[in-house]
Amino acid sequence: MSAAKIRYAMVGGGRGAFIGAVHRIAARMDDRFELVAGALSSNPDNARASAADLHIAPERAYTSYDDMLRAEKARADGIQAVVIVTPNHMHFPVAKACLEAGVAVICDKPVTRTLEEALALAQIVNDTGGFFALTHNYSAYPLVRYARELVAAGKLGKLRVVQVEYPQEWLTEAAAADNKQAAWRTDPARSGAAGCLGDIGTHAFQLAQFIAQQNVSAVSADLASFVEGRAVDDNVHALLRFDGGAKGMLWSSQVAPGCENGLRIRLFGDKAGLEWAQESPNELWFGELNKPRQRITRRGDLGSDMVARGMRVPGGHPEGYLEGFANLYKDIADILLARQQGERHFLQDWVPDITTGVEGMRFIQAVLDSSKQDGVWTTL
Amino acid sequence: MSAAKIRYAMVGGGRGAFIGAVHRIAARMDDRFELVAGALSSNPDNARASAADLHIAPERAYTSYDDMLRAEKARADGIQAVVIVTPNHMHFPVAKACLEAGVAVICDKPVTRTLEEALALAQIVNDTGGFFALTHNYSAYPLVRYARELVAAGKLGKLRVVQVEYPQEWLTEAAAADNKQAAWRTDPARSGAAGCLGDIGTHAFQLAQFIAQQNVSAVSADLASFVEGRAVDDNVHALLRFDGGAKGMLWSSQVAPGCENGLRIRLFGDKAGLEWAQESPNELWFGELNKPRQRITRRGDLGSDMVARGMRVPGGHPEGYLEGFANLYKDIADILLARQQGERHFLQDWVPDITTGVEGMRFIQAVLDSSKQDGVWTTL
Amino acid sequence: MSAAKIRYAMVGGGRGAFIGAVHRIAARMDDRFELVAGALSSNPDNARASAADLHIAPERAYTSYDDMLRAEKARADGIQAVVIVTPNHMHFPVAKACLEAGVAVICDKPVTRTLEEALALAQIVNDTGGFFALTHNYSAYPLVRYARELVAAGKLGKLRVVQVEYPQEWLTEAAAADNKQAAWRTDPARSGAAGCLGDIGTHAFQLAQFIAQQNVSAVSADLASFVEGRAVDDNVHALLRFDGGAKGMLWSSQVAPGCENGLRIRLFGDKAGLEWAQESPNELWFGELNKPRQRITRRGDLGSDMVARGMRVPGGHPEGYLEGFANLYKDIADILLARQQGERHFLQDWVPDITTGVEGMRFIQAVLDSSKQDGVWTTL
Amino acid sequence: MSAAKIRYAMVGGGRGAFIGAVHRIAARMDDRFELVAGALSSNPDNARASAADLHIAPERAYTSYDDMLRAEKARADGIQAVVIVTPNHMHFPVAKACLEAGVAVICDKPVTRTLEEALALAQIVNDTGGFFALTHNYSAYPLVRYARELVAAGKLGKLRVVQVEYPQEWLTEAAAADNKQAAWRTDPARSGAAGCLGDIGTHAFQLAQFIAQQNVSAVSADLASFVEGRAVDDNVHALLRFDGGAKGMLWSSQVAPGCENGLRIRLFGDKAGLEWAQESPNELWFGELNKPRQRITRRGDLGSDMVARGMRVPGGHPEGYLEGFANLYKDIADILLARQQGERHFLQDWVPDITTGVEGMRFIQAVLDSSKQDGVWTTL
């Protein structure tokens, strides 16, 4: 693949940040992107030092995204894409500015702080015709995509039950004052009204819809804030109804000792069931009624183009979180290449977009509303 | 242990039945019971032939429990206990008759067909001072009991979240006409208004309360009957609130392809979490916050008397469903022995009784009510 | 099944013993045997008290097996079978006496203390035409038998590699003086020259031959006694060559911390591989070349009569060590019944016998010889 | 980390190759290396096209490594390191030329085709004082390194038993004529006299020594070539003796259906045991005598600097084969940086070097010799 690399900038992700480094590795993995500029921090010193760390030329280390967009526009070798890895409240203004400047946007989830912002952003995407991808990375694991293909091919029969969960332990206790990651995630002003719900509940929700290929139409929820003084939820219990007739449960928690990143999904139809867990991402359990369960592994000979393109090493050599994340970037590179030639790439059906983002915010809103009204079924 | 064996009779459990044979093996395992009589079937031929299979003397093979109770009373070596393994609708009249005849009752679950019957039976137990045990066998696995001890000892800290589930696949399709087990379980007249809910949902519920040592105070439920024409539920989704402040989820299903008897429970407190699954009953996962999870196995050196008394072979040699079931019988033998001497045995705190039965029926009723009212939180 | 129960006695297995109780539960599980007599201990007090524990009539509580055989012969309701659960050195004389008295023998493994004794016993079995079963219980787990059927049916293709192991931790340190089980097992006078090799190595060996249906023709071995002062081996490393062309490895150890009863076997042919482990006995892994591995579970619908007859509860309800052991007893009951009618039952092909015993002793001898000669390949 | 990237070239690894791409991703993962030149193929068209794929300037796409070394020497921005990913027979000449040209060498395993070559190369490394790393990537998984630290810290006590294995299925059948990977690996002229032994047996061997921190002093081996017509071994059975007193077994196989890349190691001392498997690399099992086994996961809070530096995402987010491989590259970057300043970096103790390579070839030679002499114990 000798196509020119895509020149991108990052907003957020300076020293001390977490998810920025993940995006950079994911972008680098398949050598399709080149980090050439950044507004890595609102703090000028951090912005400059962080840029130096990352081999960004000093003159392209900006302290505001507005400055960056303006300056880059003037360059022949200016940025083609921006990766947004700020706290949630900054997603909207940065994405808006980028889209209006004609720059492609790759944005961490959840898409915005509120549903209103998400709807506004959807309008902007539509009006500008710009590119917007939302990095729900779990849906880019090869076997998650294969699960989706199995459902689409009818291997499960008519879908009836979807059980999805995402327990973590890391917020079991009140966070230490100096824990930056915990701090903004438990601050409604930066994170939105949802805590655990927005941080990982949306991942679980997106994964369920992505594989099931049905939309959640209504929820009945019970949120909890178990840690004293916590301003947002830290445990989400929700019943789900899907528009295709399936029913389900979603549990996400950040107060579950013994759990690291226990994202897990099970789907059952009238013919077969499926199970996948993020901590063992290279295996997918497929169980047909009254037959031995099969442990499907990530292999080139599964007969799936999506699995094959999402692999870098043979079956039995584990690929993990970063490779799944990198699959999104590889796909986005192909999509952007196609867009340059005025074409729509089929991979757009596989990469979460602004619609995914709006659905996620509708889910958050519906769960908050339902929980406030003692679990009344609330439509999305 | 040279104490005389307890002479018991069985009602139900003739040829073609399932759970009767299980009870007999469980009663026989530790050589504390002797099957001496039976009303094994309402069909005289079956009753006689079944009794002969089981080395029951012909004159003690009855065709009605009333006849049996009367006749046995007249014998010096008459029965001391009756095991009830009929379909649910017969539990109440048989138990009532036994209790009034001064015979101990060991009854399969759920306790009765309706909450009203359960309450009436509780009254009878109280009035007669008789013995009544309900065979929620899962709660007698040694590591389930150890889990209960860990919770009681505060090893989990304050309990916050309880996730319990019991998926099976066997009713994924409409049952064949000749499937006796399926037939009565999906017939409200014999099984009660609850299908999957009564058959296995109650096991999950009982297990949760047994380990958590908190009672479920309210439920919000969504029942489904996915198989066309099925008169009872085959999938149960319920949110739980416990009287000690914990929240939880209960899922039971009989339409989950790939699942055999997937009873599984997880409990999380503010210090640690626990996980146990019926299909791997000899291991219990204990995870303290930010520490490696421990795989506790069924061993004599755990420092638990309850574990030690529930073991017949050393750790690493698996014990299973029948041994768990047999633990109930062994305990009941000790309890009955103590009762003969006018004493209350501490094991009564470990063996499910009529109170457990009433709670189970309250749960069933509350779930049915909540689901009918679109999930409104319903107190038990 | 209304056939009369088989009346049996036990030699060994009094208070303080381990394996005797296991045999009694196994014999009792399916209600085909009745314990009526015993020479449970060479100590008269223990013999008497132990008999009382077991509901054996006082007059049938003997202090020597010779007395017992003589006295029982004189009774109309005398014993039909003897179960030998003494330390190894007593196996030969007791078995010899029983066979000569026309009583069926069910003997714990290894068959004798030396190869010479085993050969002599084989001669006696042959000369008397008596019945002799050796309780290699692991080979009676339903899925072990199913594995054997899969190999026989050619599902693995031509067998190439057999890997078997049995690690334990319990003798990692020098045994406490009062540990009766450890004491005789590490005393050559009672256990034979083999330690770990005889105690569990023979189980692994028998399991390998049982499933592979090839005999080990030669071994190259390296024994170790890691614990200072131990008179017998506590770790066995052996390379195997089978007479059908397969090659293999056998590891057994009693100094492997973290291992309880880790008996595990894997077989590979030119089409597929199999894996089974005693600590998860209800699953069998079957992997065809380049296909997903299947998790076969113990189910009535596998299409195997041997699996079906070895089950008491449905798939998903775990059966364990005792049920596997009980399968041997159930089979022996059927075999003895057939013998009473002068017939040979097909189950004799499934129950380890004196030939199995001799092969096991040849294996022990060959391993001891090879190890003494620094690993030279030694034929069995 | 703003240090300049290390400029490297690749020899081998053109279109159609496998391991070259793996090295490139590993080198790229942490942004410490830059691929600037290559002798990617002996075929000029392939060399040119492959270079273009990889963004290598056309003038730096060479067709011979000699030309490359000469030309690059003349450039101010010439290469600092060469990555050798050719078939085995080319390792020696390329490495020799690089070392003599003062260029650091990063070489795939096994180090050479023969022991003689390995010894000669060791001499050259010594004489030139050059840098040579051997990419035994499995030893760079964070939890493998943690296992080594646990052994070093005495957590296992005195080491007694080491069981290591590496089964694969991919050569179960004779390879198709067009399978390039299989072709050279089964051709002694390119691969050396060892087949499976050299390809993956050496990985298992290196892993065992790396964690045990004892050297294998002697082996007794039994090689097989199960596939008809195969010129090299496809199954390795070997008994091991370590110079510190431990004993072990090594099994590697490429004819094991159902196995993908089943590298697995277990070590047992007189206090505790350890288990790690490549297909689940983010967990390490630690079992102290008579205590519950612990599932240690890759986490920053384990208290190990080596684990912390080998992580890119938090525990519970799986890292895999590529990240393990990348750890070697990151370490090499640090080591090369230190060497530029005339310092020896402690990481040299963690990165396999020419000594590791020579030991691996000694192992291969000893196994071949022992097997030819019917398993006689052969010193390394």
Side-chain angles (χ1 to χ4, degrees):
Chain A
M1 179 63 58
S2 56
K5 300 187 199 175
I6 292 162
R7 300 180 301 275
Y8 82 100
M10 185 164 268
V11 178
R15 287 180 176 181
F18 159 61
I19 203 69
V22 167
H23 280 258
R24 289 192 296 267
I25 296 176
R28 195 187 304 136
M29 180 88 68
D30 298 304
D31 213 17
R32 305 286 301 278
F33 286 83
E34 193 174 2
L35 178 61
V36 297
L40 300 163
S41 172
S42 51
N43 174 306
D45 286 345
N46 187 346
R48 207 171 313 120
S50 300
D53 289 349
L54 303 173
H55 307 287
I56 293 175
E59 71 274 15
R60 298 176 86 172
Y62 306 93
T63 48
S64 97
Y65 60 90
D66 274 327
D67 290 351
M68 179 174 78
L69 288 169
R70 207 166 20 243
E72 289 290 321
K73 196 159 209 171
R75 298 178 66 110
D77 64 350
I79 55 173
Q80 301 165 290
V82 161
V83 171
I84 306 176
V85 288
T86 61
N88 303 347
H89 67 300
M90 293 301 295
H91 290 186
F92 177 74
V94 180
K96 179 174 186 293
C98 292
L99 288 164
E100 291 174 351
V103 172
V105 176
I106 301 166
C107 183
D108 210 75
K109 46 51 53 188
V111 65
T112 51
R113 212 172 52 97
T114 64
L115 174 55
E116 289 66 36
E117 283 180 353
L119 290 167
L121 191 56
Q123 190 61 49
I124 295 167
V125 172
N126 187 61
D127 292 351
T128 59
F131 176 82
F132 182 91
L134 191 67
T135 54
H136 276 296
N137 57 295
Y138 301 114
S139 59
Y141 272 108
L143 289 181
V144 166
R145 290 172 161 195
Y146 190 59
R148 190 193 211 205
E149 291 181 319
L150 290 176
V151 171
K155 298 294 186 190
L156 271 64
K158 184 168 170 46
L159 210 59
R160 290 169 167 173
V161 177
V162 178
Q163 303 287 115
V164 65
E165 64 185 39
Y166 196 160
Q168 298 179 326
E169 71 178 358
W170 74 296
L171 295 175
T172 293
E173 298 177 338
D178 63 346
N179 186 333
K180 230 180 115 168
Q181 299 307 322
W184 74 255
R185 278 182 178 77
T186 53
D187 171 11
R190 284 176 287 173
S191 178
C196 169
L197 171 61
D199 192 26
I200 57 173
T202 47
H203 272 309
F205 165 79
Q206 188 268 339
L207 192 69
Q209 291 205 156
F210 181 82
I211 298 179
Q213 293 152 82
Q214 294 187 12
N215 277 4
V216 171
S217 50
V219 297
S220 164
D222 193 23
L223 296 176
S225 299
F226 282 111
V227 173
E228 225 180 283
R230 184 161 287 162
V232 292
D233 63 275
D234 51 24
N235 191 80
V236 179
H237 279 154
L239 304 183
L240 312 176
R241 289 178 184 159
F242 290 80
D243 58 11
K247 298 191 168 197
M249 278 179 153
L250 182 149
W251 171 48
S252 72
S253 183
Q254 295 180 318
V255 294
C259 300
E260 294 185 329
N261 280 289
L263 178 61
R264 193 164 81 110
I265 187 164
R266 290 172 289 177
L267 303 103
F268 302 94
D270 59 12
K271 289 188 190 166
L274 272 182
E275 177 170 357
W276 180 85
Q278 195 260 155
E279 297 196 5
S280 309
N282 297 294
E283 62 187 28
L284 174 69
W285 293 91
F286 178 61
E288 290 180 288
L289 182 60
N290 296 323
K291 292 200 183 154
R293 292 182 95 194
Q294 294 180 37
R295 181 181 176 269
I296 295 171
T297 56
R298 193 198 86 248
R299 291 172 67 121
D301 58 6
L302 280 181
S304 159
D305 291 344
M306 287 308 292
V307 171
R309 72 168 273 127
M311 290 176 60
R312 291 155 197 86
V313 285
H317 283 325
E319 292 188 76
Y321 179 90
L322 291 166
E323 287 78 12
F325 221 118
N327 286 342
L328 281 184
Y329 273 89
K330 184 156 67 168
D331 294 347
I332 291 169
D334 280 352
I335 293 169
L336 292 180
L337 214 63
R339 284 174 62 95
Q340 288 170 14
Q341 288 150 6
E343 287 162 22
R344 184 186 185 281
H345 200 287
F346 82 92
L347 284 169
Q348 291 201 222
D349 298 334
W350 292 87
V351 174
D353 58 11
I354 186 63
T355 303
T356 317
V358 169
E359 288 167 354
M361 296 311 296
R362 285 197 198 280
F363 170 72
I364 288 177
Q365 194 55 55
V367 168
L368 291 169
D369 289 350
S370 172
S371 187
K372 241 173 257 162
Q373 298 169 68
D374 208 26
V376 69
W377 280 97
T378 304
T379 54
L380 263 66
Chain B
M1 178 63 56
S2 58
K5 299 188 201 175
I6 292 162
R7 299 180 302 276
Y8 81 101
M10 185 165 270
V11 177
R15 287 182 175 179
F18 159 62
I19 202 69
V22 167
H23 280 258
R24 290 191 295 267
I25 296 176
R28 196 187 302 136
M29 180 89 68
D30 298 304
D31 213 19
R32 306 285 302 277
F33 286 84
E34 192 174 5
L35 178 61
V36 297
L40 300 163
S41 173
S42 50
N43 173 308
D45 286 345
N46 187 345
R48 207 171 314 120
S50 299
D53 289 349
L54 302 174
H55 307 287
I56 293 175
E59 71 274 15
R60 298 176 88 172
Y62 306 93
T63 48
S64 96
Y65 61 89
D66 274 327
D67 290 351
M68 180 174 78
L69 289 168
R70 205 164 25 238
E72 290 290 321
K73 195 159 211 170
R75 300 178 65 111
D77 63 350
I79 55 172
Q80 301 165 290
V82 161
V83 171
I84 306 176
V85 288
T86 61
N88 303 347
H89 66 299
M90 293 301 296
H91 290 185
F92 176 75
V94 180
K96 178 174 187 291
C98 292
L99 288 164
E100 290 173 352
V103 171
V105 176
I106 301 166
C107 184
D108 209 76
K109 45 51 54 190
V111 65
T112 50
R113 211 172 53 96
T114 63
L115 174 55
E116 289 67 36
E117 284 180 353
L119 290 167
L121 190 58
Q123 190 61 48
I124 296 167
V125 172
N126 187 61
D127 292 350
T128 60
F131 177 80
F132 182 90
L134 191 66
T135 54
H136 276 296
N137 58 294
Y138 301 114
S139 60
Y141 273 107
L143 289 182
V144 166
R145 290 171 161 196
Y146 190 58
R148 190 191 210 207
E149 291 180 320
L150 290 175
V151 171
K155 298 294 187 190
L156 271 64
K158 183 168 169 49
L159 210 59
R160 290 168 168 175
V161 177
V162 178
Q163 302 288 114
V164 65
E165 64 186 39
Y166 196 160
Q168 299 178 326
E169 70 179 0
W170 75 296
L171 294 175
T172 292
E173 299 178 339
D178 63 346
N179 186 333
K180 234 177 113 167
Q181 299 308 321
W184 75 256
R185 278 182 178 76
T186 54
D187 171 11
R190 285 177 287 174
S191 178
C196 168
L197 171 61
D199 192 26
I200 57 173
T202 46
H203 273 309
F205 165 80
Q206 188 267 342
L207 192 69
Q209 291 205 156
F210 181 82
I211 299 178
Q213 293 152 84
Q214 294 188 11
N215 278 3
V216 171
S217 50
V219 297
S220 164
D222 193 23
L223 296 177
S225 298
F226 282 111
V227 173
E228 224 181 285
R230 184 162 286 161
V232 292
D233 63 273
D234 51 24
N235 191 79
V236 179
H237 280 154
L239 303 182
L240 312 175
R241 289 179 185 160
F242 290 80
D243 59 10
K247 297 192 169 198
M249 277 180 154
L250 182 149
W251 171 48
S252 72
S253 183
Q254 295 180 318
V255 295
C259 299
E260 295 185 328
N261 280 289
L263 177 60
R264 193 163 80 110
I265 187 163
R266 291 172 288 178
L267 303 102
F268 303 93
D270 60 11
K271 288 188 191 166
L274 273 182
E275 177 170 358
W276 181 85
Q278 196 260 157
E279 297 196 4
S280 309
N282 297 294
E283 61 187 29
L284 174 69
W285 293 91
F286 178 60
E288 289 181 288
L289 182 60
N290 296 323
K291 292 201 183 154
R293 292 181 95 194
Q294 294 181 36
R295 180 180 176 268
I296 295 170
T297 56
R298 193 197 85 249
R299 292 172 67 121
D301 58 6
L302 281 180
S304 158
D305 290 344
M306 287 307 292
V307 172
R309 72 169 271 127
M311 290 177 59
R312 291 155 196 86
V313 284
H317 283 324
E319 292 189 77
Y321 178 90
L322 291 166
E323 286 79 13
F325 221 119
N327 285 343
L328 281 185
Y329 273 89
K330 185 156 67 167
D331 293 347
I332 291 170
D334 280 351
I335 293 169
L336 292 179
L337 214 63
R339 285 173 62 94
Q340 287 170 14
Q341 289 149 6
E343 286 162 22
R344 186 187 184 279
H345 199 286
F346 82 92
L347 284 169
Q348 290 202 224
D349 298 334
W350 291 87
V351 174
D353 58 12
I354 186 63
T355 303
T356 317
V358 169
E359 288 166 354
M361 295 311 295
R362 284 196 198 281
F363 170 71
I364 288 177
Q365 194 56 55
V367 167
L368 290 168
D369 290 350
S370 172
S371 187
K372 241 173 256 163
Q373 298 170 69
D374 208 26
V376 68
W377 280 97
T378 304
T379 54
L380 262 67
Chain C
M1 178 64 59
S2 57
K5 299 187 199 175
I6 292 161
R7 301 180 300 276
Y8 82 100
M10 187 164 269
V11 178
R15 287 182 176 180
F18 158 62
I19 202 69
V22 167
H23 280 258
R24 289 190 297 267
I25 296 177
R28 195 188 302 135
M29 179 92 64
D30 299 304
D31 212 19
R32 305 287 301 276
F33 287 83
E34 190 174 5
L35 178 62
V36 298
L40 300 163
S41 172
S42 50
N43 174 307
D45 285 346
N46 187 344
R48 208 172 315 118
S50 300
D53 288 349
L54 303 173
H55 306 288
I56 293 174
E59 70 275 14
R60 297 177 88 173
Y62 307 92
T63 50
S64 98
Y65 60 90
D66 274 326
D67 290 351
M68 179 174 78
L69 288 169
R70 206 164 22 238
E72 289 290 321
K73 194 158 212 171
R75 299 178 65 111
D77 64 350
I79 56 173
Q80 301 165 292
V82 161
V83 172
I84 306 176
V85 288
T86 62
N88 303 347
H89 67 299
M90 292 302 294
H91 290 186
F92 176 76
V94 179
K96 179 173 185 294
C98 291
L99 288 165
E100 290 174 351
V103 171
V105 176
I106 301 167
C107 183
D108 208 76
K109 47 50 54 189
V111 64
T112 51
R113 210 173 52 97
T114 65
L115 173 56
E116 289 66 37
E117 284 180 353
L119 289 168
L121 190 57
Q123 190 61 50
I124 296 167
V125 171
N126 187 60
D127 293 350
T128 59
F131 177 81
F132 182 91
L134 191 67
T135 53
H136 278 297
N137 57 295
Y138 302 114
S139 60
Y141 272 109
L143 289 183
V144 166
R145 291 171 161 195
Y146 190 59
R148 191 192 210 205
E149 291 182 319
L150 290 176
V151 171
K155 298 294 187 192
L156 272 64
K158 185 169 169 47
L159 209 61
R160 289 169 168 174
V161 177
V162 178
Q163 303 289 114
V164 65
E165 64 185 39
Y166 196 161
Q168 298 179 327
E169 71 178 359
W170 74 297
L171 295 174
T172 292
E173 298 178 338
D178 63 346
N179 186 334
K180 233 178 114 168
Q181 299 308 323
W184 75 256
R185 278 181 178 76
T186 53
D187 171 10
R190 284 176 287 174
S191 177
C196 169
L197 171 61
D199 192 27
I200 57 173
T202 48
H203 272 309
F205 165 80
Q206 188 267 341
L207 191 69
Q209 291 204 156
F210 180 82
I211 298 178
Q213 293 152 84
Q214 295 187 12
N215 277 4
V216 171
S217 51
V219 297
S220 165
D222 194 23
L223 295 177
S225 299
F226 282 111
V227 172
E228 225 180 284
R230 184 162 287 162
V232 292
D233 64 273
D234 51 24
N235 191 78
V236 180
H237 280 153
L239 304 183
L240 313 175
R241 289 178 184 159
F242 290 81
D243 59 10
K247 297 191 168 198
M249 277 178 153
L250 182 149
W251 170 48
S252 72
S253 184
Q254 295 180 317
V255 294
C259 300
E260 295 185 328
N261 281 289
L263 177 61
R264 192 164 81 110
I265 187 163
R266 291 172 290 178
L267 303 101
F268 303 94
D270 58 12
K271 289 188 191 166
L274 273 181
E275 177 169 357
W276 180 84
Q278 196 260 157
E279 297 195 3
S280 310
N282 297 295
E283 63 188 25
L284 174 69
W285 294 91
F286 178 61
E288 289 181 288
L289 182 60
N290 296 323
K291 292 199 182 154
R293 292 182 96 194
Q294 294 180 37
R295 182 180 175 268
I296 295 170
T297 56
R298 195 196 83 250
R299 291 172 68 121
D301 59 6
L302 280 181
S304 159
D305 291 345
M306 287 307 292
V307 172
R309 72 169 270 126
M311 290 175 61
R312 291 157 196 85
V313 284
H317 283 325
E319 292 189 77
Y321 178 90
L322 291 166
E323 286 79 13
F325 221 118
N327 285 343
L328 281 185
Y329 273 89
K330 183 156 68 168
D331 294 347
I332 291 169
D334 280 351
I335 293 170
L336 292 179
L337 214 64
R339 284 174 62 95
Q340 288 170 14
Q341 289 150 6
E343 286 162 21
R344 184 186 185 282
H345 199 288
F346 83 92
L347 284 169
Q348 293 203 219
D349 298 334
W350 291 88
V351 173
D353 58 12
I354 186 63
T355 303
T356 316
V358 169
E359 288 166 356
M361 295 310 295
R362 284 196 198 282
F363 170 71
I364 288 177
Q365 194 57 55
V367 167
L368 290 169
D369 290 350
S370 172
S371 186
K372 243 174 254 162
Q373 298 170 66
D374 207 26
V376 68
W377 280 97
T378 303
T379 55
L380 262 67
Chain D
M1 179 63 59
S2 57
K5 299 187 200 176
I6 291 161
R7 300 180 302 275
Y8 82 101
M10 186 164 270
V11 178
R15 288 182 175 180
F18 158 62
I19 201 70
V22 167
H23 280 257
R24 289 191 296 267
I25 296 177
R28 196 187 302 136
M29 180 89 67
D30 298 304
D31 212 18
R32 305 286 301 275
F33 287 84
E34 191 174 5
L35 178 63
V36 297
L40 299 162
S41 171
S42 50
N43 174 307
D45 285 347
N46 187 345
R48 209 171 314 121
S50 300
D53 288 350
L54 303 173
H55 306 288
I56 293 174
E59 70 276 16
R60 297 176 89 172
Y62 306 92
T63 50
S64 98
Y65 61 89
D66 274 327
D67 290 352
M68 179 174 77
L69 288 169
R70 207 166 20 241
E72 290 290 321
K73 195 160 211 169
R75 299 179 65 111
D77 64 350
I79 57 173
Q80 299 165 291
V82 160
V83 171
I84 306 176
V85 286
T86 62
N88 303 348
H89 67 299
M90 293 301 296
H91 289 186
F92 177 74
V94 179
K96 180 174 185 293
C98 292
L99 289 164
E100 290 174 350
V103 171
V105 176
I106 301 166
C107 184
D108 209 75
K109 47 51 55 189
V111 64
T112 51
R113 209 173 54 96
T114 64
L115 173 55
E116 290 66 37
E117 284 179 354
L119 290 168
L121 190 57
Q123 191 62 49
I124 296 166
V125 171
N126 187 61
D127 293 350
T128 59
F131 176 81
F132 182 90
L134 191 67
T135 53
H136 277 298
N137 57 295
Y138 301 113
S139 59
Y141 272 108
L143 289 182
V144 166
R145 291 172 160 193
Y146 190 59
R148 191 192 210 207
E149 291 181 318
L150 290 175
V151 172
K155 298 293 187 191
L156 271 65
K158 185 169 168 46
L159 210 60
R160 290 168 168 175
V161 177
V162 178
Q163 302 289 115
V164 65
E165 64 185 39
Y166 196 161
Q168 297 179 328
E169 71 177 0
W170 73 296
L171 294 175
T172 293
E173 298 178 338
D178 63 346
N179 185 334
K180 232 178 114 169
Q181 298 308 321
W184 76 256
R185 276 182 178 78
T186 55
D187 171 10
R190 286 176 285 175
S191 178
C196 168
L197 172 60
D199 192 27
I200 57 173
T202 47
H203 272 309
F205 165 80
Q206 188 266 340
L207 191 69
Q209 291 204 157
F210 180 82
I211 298 178
Q213 293 153 83
Q214 295 187 10
N215 278 3
V216 172
S217 50
V219 297
S220 164
D222 194 22
L223 296 177
S225 299
F226 282 112
V227 173
E228 225 180 284
R230 183 162 286 163
V232 292
D233 64 272
D234 52 23
N235 191 80
V236 180
H237 281 154
L239 304 182
L240 312 176
R241 289 177 184 160
F242 290 80
D243 59 10
K247 297 191 169 199
M249 278 179 152
L250 182 148
W251 171 48
S252 72
S253 184
Q254 294 180 319
V255 295
C259 299
E260 293 184 331
N261 281 289
L263 178 60
R264 192 163 82 111
I265 187 163
R266 291 172 290 178
L267 303 103
F268 303 94
D270 59 12
K271 289 189 191 166
L274 272 182
E275 177 170 358
W276 180 86
Q278 196 259 156
E279 298 195 4
S280 310
N282 297 295
E283 62 187 27
L284 174 69
W285 294 90
F286 178 61
E288 289 181 289
L289 183 58
N290 296 324
K291 293 200 183 154
R293 292 182 96 194
Q294 294 180 36
R295 181 180 175 268
I296 296 170
T297 56
R298 196 197 82 249
R299 291 172 67 121
D301 58 6
L302 280 180
S304 159
D305 291 343
M306 287 307 292
V307 171
R309 70 168 273 127
M311 290 177 60
R312 291 157 196 85
V313 284
H317 283 324
E319 292 189 76
Y321 178 90
L322 291 166
E323 286 79 12
F325 221 117
N327 285 343
L328 281 185
Y329 273 90
K330 183 156 67 167
D331 293 346
I332 291 169
D334 280 350
I335 293 169
L336 292 179
L337 213 63
R339 283 174 63 94
Q340 287 169 15
Q341 289 150 5
E343 286 162 22
R344 184 185 185 283
H345 199 286
F346 83 91
L347 284 169
Q348 291 203 222
D349 298 335
W350 291 86
V351 174
D353 59 11
I354 186 64
T355 304
T356 317
V358 169
E359 288 166 355
M361 296 311 296
R362 283 195 200 282
F363 170 72
I364 288 177
Q365 194 56 54
V367 168
L368 290 168
D369 290 351
S370 172
S371 187
K372 241 174 254 163
Q373 298 171 68
D374 208 27
V376 69
W377 280 98
T378 303
T379 55
L380 263 67

